[in-house]
């Protein structure tokens, strides 16, 4: 079987780190900057960065609707931080562009500003022991999730990692650590 | 739970990559920048071109303005402190700004020492013209580096020079035999430990942006080609004919810096760019890039 070709949305943000993580696990990574780059990809990662910036560029390059259609047809997608925000149906106090494929409500900058950013070891039963080193940078949280959404991890009782069928989202940044378990979990979603 | 770690400080800069950070002096300008797709804004009292024109002592912006800008945008807000002025920096940290620029654009408060940035929770960005300067700033705790360029001129030549200089020296450092590294570090004024890290990783250990003199989408794309991770734009936007349009064009140019047909499209009908200053016409004493030690 051909290697999984993972698109990494490269409009802005920490896309190189995600590409490096999936490449380390034996998949092929392709930076996606324009609509034509999406041809032939098996999955998509939406990286951390600025959700307003990435959302605007998705609209300007005519990629928002085609990407949404691909996800709705079952293409696996993983969003970290800004990526999670873009996946959500509801964004509190914001009408910014989004994909809206994840049945959840997100609160941006939920922990405060950069001085409130933190690292913590997170229990994620789905990934097994030991706890996952989670890096939260101006991170969002999910304040409400629909019935199809499975919560994979919590911080202070609020969801920070979720899965809804082919959609995976975390409000932290596994790409900033050397722990590849979450990327491996995503690649397994791509082969099943 | 840990806060203020080096991973968190450098991590925010990683999230800004491929983006444009815009100088703003009012909440209205901050909104324009956010709507154009800026990944962060830099709050300051006057843009560099006006600092040049006005003369006098340039200081940290009024906290009221910084606060107002923080209230109207959801993207990160940076602010500038004078070189060595750790009290201005503490005030900005207390206000909750997301990044502090210890900046040569403002009048330096200390002519020998920079701020000891390691003791702060908030991350810092600092300017450099060469590898030694970049690595000294990193040793002091800077979590992000930018070229100094020559601010407020609309002339990209100095940013190009500084970027090429840093990249050249990194390549040289990586190619040296082990025995020559300590002397190389001494010659360029770089702390040996940080130089060893650069040698191991083949790149700066923190994100490196372009700054100082970027005025057009082509300038921004040029800096990306030279190896920068993103760009700062100050006077180039709000001293041009149509700031909103130019801001948006520069954001698009940074993402698609290697698609020339698209850059041609993006560069059309942007109105008047800022007038600009020829570097050789600026007396040595007025060159902002000479500040910092």
């Amino acid at each position: 079987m051909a290697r999984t070709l993972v698109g990494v949305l490269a409009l802005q943000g920490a896309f190189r780190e995600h590409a490096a993580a999936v490449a380390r696990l034996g998949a092929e990574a392709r930076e996606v900057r324009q609509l034509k780059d999406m041809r032939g990809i098996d999955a998509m990662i939406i990286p951390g960065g600025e959700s307003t910036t990435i959302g605007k560029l998705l609209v300007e390059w005519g990629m928002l609707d085609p990407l949404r259609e691909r996800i709705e047809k079952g293409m696996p997608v993983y969003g970290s931080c800004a990526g999670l925000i873009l996946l959500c149906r509801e964004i509190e106090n914001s009408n910014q562009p989004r994909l809206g494929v994840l049945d959840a409500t997100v609160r941006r900058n939920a922990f405060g500003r950069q001085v409130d950013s933190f690292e913590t070891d997170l229990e994620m039963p789905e990934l097994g022991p030991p706890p996952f080193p989670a890096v939260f940078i101006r991170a969002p949280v999910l304040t409400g999730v629909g019935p199809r959404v499975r919560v994979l991890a919590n911080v202070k009782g609020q969801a920070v990692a979720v899965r809804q069928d082919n959609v995976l989202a975390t409000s932290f940044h596994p790409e900033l650590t050397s722990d590849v378990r979450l990327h491996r979990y995503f690649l397994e979603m791509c082969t099943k | 739970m840990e806060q203020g770690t080096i991973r968190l400080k450098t991590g925010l800069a990683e999230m800004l990559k491929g983006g444009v950070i815009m100088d703003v002096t009012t909440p209205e300008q901050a909104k324009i920048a956010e709507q154009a797709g800026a990944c962060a804004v830099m709050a300051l009292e006057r843009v560099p071109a006006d600092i040049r024109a006005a003369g006098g002592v340039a200081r940290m912006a009024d906290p009221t303005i910084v606060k107002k800008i923080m209230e109207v945008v959801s993207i990160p807000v940076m602010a500038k402190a004078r070189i060595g002025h750790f009290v201005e920096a503490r005030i900005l940290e207390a206000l909750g700004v997301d990044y502090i620029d210890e900046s040569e654009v403002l009048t330096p408060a200390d002519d020998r020492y920079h701020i000891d940035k390691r003791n702060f929770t908030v991350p810092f960005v600092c300017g450099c013209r060469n590898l030694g300067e970049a690595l000294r700033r990193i040793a002091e705790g800077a979590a992000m580096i930018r070229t100094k360029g020559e601010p407020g001129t609309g002339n990209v030549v100095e940013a190009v020079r500084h970027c090429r200089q840093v990249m050249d020296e990194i390549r040289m450092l990586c190619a040296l035999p082990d025995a020559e590294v300590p002397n190389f570090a001494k010659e360029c004024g770089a702390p040996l430990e940080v130089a060893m890290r650069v040698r191991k990783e083949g790149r700066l250990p923190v994100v490196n942006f372009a700054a100082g003199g970027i005025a057009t989408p082509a300038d921004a794309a040029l800096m990306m080609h030279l190896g920068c991770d993103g760009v700062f734009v100050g006077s180039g936007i709000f001293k041009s004919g149509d700031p909103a349009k130019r801001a948006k064009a520069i954001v698009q140019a940074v993402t698609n810096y290697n698609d020339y047909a698209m850059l041609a499209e993006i560069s059309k009908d942007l109105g008047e760019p800022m007038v600009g200053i020829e570097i050789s016409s600026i007396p040595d004493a007025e060159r902002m890039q000479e500040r910092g030690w």
Side-chain angles (χ1 to χ4, degrees), chain A residues 3 12-13 24 27 38 43 45-48 51 59-60 62 65-66 69 88-89 96 99 121 147 150 153 161 175:
Chain A
R3 285 203 298 171
Q12 191 270 324
R24 230 175 11 245
M38 271 172 53
I45 294 178
I46 307 175
S51 65
V59 172
E60 274 159 31
D65 295 333
E69 281 165 27
C88 284
R89 191 168 43 77
Q96 67 191 84
L99 293 159
D121 289 331
R150 199 147 51 88
E175 75 279 13

Side-chain angles (χ1 to χ4, degrees), chain B:
Chain B
M1 190 170 117
E2 283 185 284
Q3 291 185 301
T5 64
I6 192 70
R7 178 145 66 187
L8 292 167
K9 291 178 179 180
T10 55
L12 178 55
E14 303 285 352
M15 297 309 141
L16 299 172
K17 280 187 306 197
V20 181
I21 300 166
M22 302 181 193
D23 281 354
V24 296
T25 57
T26 63
E28 293 72 34
Q29 288 183 352
K31 286 301 278 184
I32 292 172
E34 185 178 50
Q35 277 156 15
C39 64
V41 291
M42 174 79 70
L44 71 175
E45 207 149 64
R46 286 195 282 266
V47 293
D50 289 336
I51 291 175
R52 268 185 197 288
V57 175
R59 309 180 179 90
M60 172 185 83
D62 183 327
T64 308
I65 298 285
V66 179
K67 267 283 176 208
K68 278 193 181 144
I69 290 170
M70 286 165 58
E71 281 161 16
V72 299
V73 294
S74 64
I75 55 180
V77 175
M78 303 184 165
K80 288 186 194 288
R82 281 182 274 174
I83 289 175
H85 207 317
F86 53 84
V87 173
E88 281 188 355
R90 285 293 180 196
I91 290 170
L92 293 172
E93 182 180 50
L95 283 173
V97 304
D98 298 297
Y99 240 94
I100 295 175
D101 185 355
E102 186 183 20
S103 179
E104 68 282 356
V105 168
L106 304 185
T107 309
D110 193 318
D111 64 359
R112 286 186 70 193
Y113 301 107
H114 283 250
I115 297 170
D116 184 357
K117 296 167 273 288
R118 297 168 298 179
N119 300 320
F120 285 73
T121 305
V122 66
F124 282 75
V125 53
C126 289
C128 74
R129 288 169 302 174
N130 53 49
L131 186 63
E133 202 170 13
L135 300 193
R136 291 197 297 281
R137 299 293 86 83
I138 292 168
E140 292 158 3
M144 180 176 180
I145 288 291
R146 55 172 173 74
T147 60
K148 285 181 168 176
E150 191 54 44
T153 61
N155 190 337
V156 79
V157 67
E158 298 298 302
V160 168
R161 200 155 62 84
H162 299 158
C163 180
R164 283 200 187 274
Q165 179 73 25
V166 171
M167 299 299 174
D168 282 349
E169 286 178 298
I170 290 173
R171 283 187 287 266
M172 220 182 294
L173 173 58
C174 293
L176 285 178
D178 286 339
E180 295 178 17
V181 175
N183 195 59
F184 177 88
K186 187 190 80 181
E187 296 284 320
C188 73
L192 182 58
E193 254 177 75
V194 198
M196 292 305 285
R197 261 188 83 189
V198 172
R199 201 168 142 79
K200 199 170 144 205
E201 293 166 26
R203 48 159 294 164
L204 285 179
V206 303
V207 166
N208 180 24
F209 267 48
I214 292 146
T216 67
D219 288 349
L222 174 66
M223 297 312 297
M224 296 301 286
H225 275 278
L226 295 177
C228 289
D229 295 310
V231 301
F232 284 88
V233 189
S235 321
I237 288 175
F238 289 104
K239 286 286 152 190
S240 73
D242 188 344
K245 202 167 175 188
R246 185 165 293 264
K248 193 172 154 185
I250 292 177
V251 169
Q252 294 173 333
V254 167
T255 301
N256 281 294
Y257 65 93
N258 48 13
D259 184 331
Y260 301 109
M262 193 168 271
L263 286 174
E265 206 51 46
I266 290 165
S267 303
K268 281 181 184 164
D269 307 320
L270 295 181
E272 282 298 302
M274 69 179 288
V275 175
I277 303 173
E278 170 53 40
I279 306 291
S280 59
S281 70
I282 306 170
D284 286 356
E286 289 173 24
R287 291 190 189 184
M288 291 171 173
Q289 59 177 283
E290 304 298 332
R291 300 162 166 180
W293 357 101

Side-chain angles (χ1 to χ4, degrees), chain A residues 55-67:
Chain A
K56 268 176 225 301
L57 291 169
L58 275 173
V59 172
E60 274 159 31
W61 304 136
M63 296 165 74
L64 191 72
D65 295 333
L67 181 55

